[in-house]
Amino acid sequence: MFETRRLRTRIGLQILLTVLVVPFVFPLYAMVAGSLEGLGWGNYATVLSLPVLPKFFINSALISAAVIVIVMACTMTAAFGFSKLHIRFKEVWFWLLLICLTLPGVVLIAPLFATITRIGAYNTLWAVIIPVAALQIPFTTLLARNFVDGVPSELIEAARVDGARVIRVFWSVLLPLTRPIMAAVLVLVFINSWNEFLLALLFLQTPDQQTITLVPSFFVGQYNNDQTKVLAAAVLTGLPVVIAYIFLQRFFERGLAAGALK
């Protein structure tokens, strides 16, 4: 009787998971299948033969790397300060930071455009790097702080008693213990920065500055709309993200779960 109940529960869970996964898997299947219609693998060959493709990949890689460095540095130092340091009114500053999560990115386009133009960063990679990094810091700080709260404060105090300064405590004690959440932040930031489309479309005008997410637009025009090559370009654009997630999946899930639940 008990085994029968367990079997039914397991079958029910499998059915539920299948129902939940299908809406996400089907678009991916349709994208890959559509990219192989017509010329088949020739669609990929056409996309890969674009002269601007290597430059677009390099630009996206540079933007992603810069955003990861900025967000990681700001996130981990902020999480350490908000969680373990005695800072006056730190809860006020923390909630002010979280208020930024309520602002849709679209409403910031006009002020961002004015700011980027005024500082002379228009049509440079910094026009995408700075806004993308700034928009991700509130959420990553929230995750990282929840994780850092789970680090025993006794370790921090013991290091301070031994004469370690704040920077030394942060670098030698905290960071080694927060690798799971750092991996989760890295994956999230990489996905968002690599897939950034709107800011790249608005702020990067010349081909030597544009990113990989703009490649599908080469096959969409007033008199031409080659959907098979658009889908092939989308598949190639998403491959680095998929590969990164596969290699960091274990750390990503562990860090994200701990950061969300602690």
Side-chain angles (χ1 to χ4, degrees):
M1 182 68 179
F2 182 72
E3 292 295 331
T4 303
R5 185 177 300 176
R6 288 185 58 184
L7 180 61
R8 290 178 179 177
T9 302
R10 185 178 303 175
I11 294 175
L13 288 175
Q14 290 177 349
I15 295 174
L16 177 61
L17 291 175
T18 302
V19 172
L20 293 176
V21 168
V22 166
F24 297 95
V25 173
F26 181 75
L28 297 177
Y29 169 78
M31 181 175 66
V32 175
S35 69
L36 295 174
E37 293 181 357
L39 298 177
W41 293 105
N43 296 321
Y44 289 90
T46 302
V47 175
L48 293 173
S49 66
L50 286 174
V52 296
L53 190 65
K55 184 63 176 176
F56 281 15
F57 261 100
I58 293 174
N59 289 339
S60 291
L62 291 175
I63 290 174
S64 299
V67 171
I68 287 172
V69 171
I70 294 173
V71 173
M72 194 70 71
C74 294
T75 295
M76 299 312 299
T77 52
F80 177 55
F82 285 131
S83 178
K84 299 302 181 184
L85 299 184
H86 300 288
I87 302 174
R88 200 175 179 185
F89 305 121
K90 68 177 183 180
E91 291 300 323
V92 176
W93 306 125
F94 180 69
W95 284 104
L96 287 175
L97 181 66
L98 294 188
I99 290 175
C100 299
L101 292 173
T102 65
L103 297 175
V106 177
V107 304
L108 300 175
I109 294 300
L112 279 176
F113 185 85
T115 303
I116 292 298
T117 304
R118 181 169 297 180
I119 66 177
Y122 185 75
N123 199 37
T124 67
L125 298 184
W126 290 108
V128 177
I129 292 172
I130 297 174
V132 171
L135 292 173
Q136 296 187 72
I137 288 175
F139 180 68
T140 56
T141 300
L142 173 63
L143 284 179
R145 185 196 179 180
N146 289 338
F147 189 94
V148 174
D149 285 342
V151 176
S153 298
E154 291 78 7
L155 295 176
I156 307 296
E157 296 300 328
R160 297 295 298 273
V161 170
D162 289 340
R165 296 187 177 182
V166 174
I167 296 178
R168 183 69 175 177
V169 173
F170 171 75
W171 187 263
S172 300
V173 178
L174 184 74
L175 289 186
L177 297 174
T178 55
R179 289 175 182 172
I181 196 63
M182 291 174 65
V185 170
L186 187 149
V187 174
L188 287 173
V189 173
F190 177 68
I191 291 174
N192 292 330
S193 57
W194 184 269
N195 291 333
E196 177 56 45
F197 174 77
L198 182 59
L199 295 180
L201 179 65
L202 294 176
F203 297 153
L204 304 177
Q205 295 300 312
T206 57
D208 62 324
Q209 298 291 337
Q210 292 176 341
T211 62
I212 194 65
T213 53
L214 300 178
V215 170
S217 63
F218 277 74
F219 304 100
V220 178
Q222 184 176 1
Y223 304 106
N224 179 41
N225 190 1
D226 195 335
Q227 288 296 319
T228 58
K229 294 179 179 60
V230 170
L231 294 174
V235 172
L236 292 175
T237 301
L239 276 179
V241 174
V242 174
I243 294 173
Y245 180 78
I246 290 174
F247 281 101
L248 296 174
Q249 177 183 4
R250 179 167 60 91
F251 299 102
F252 174 75
E253 293 175 352
R254 177 184 169 191
L256 195 61
L261 298 177
K262 284 186 178 179

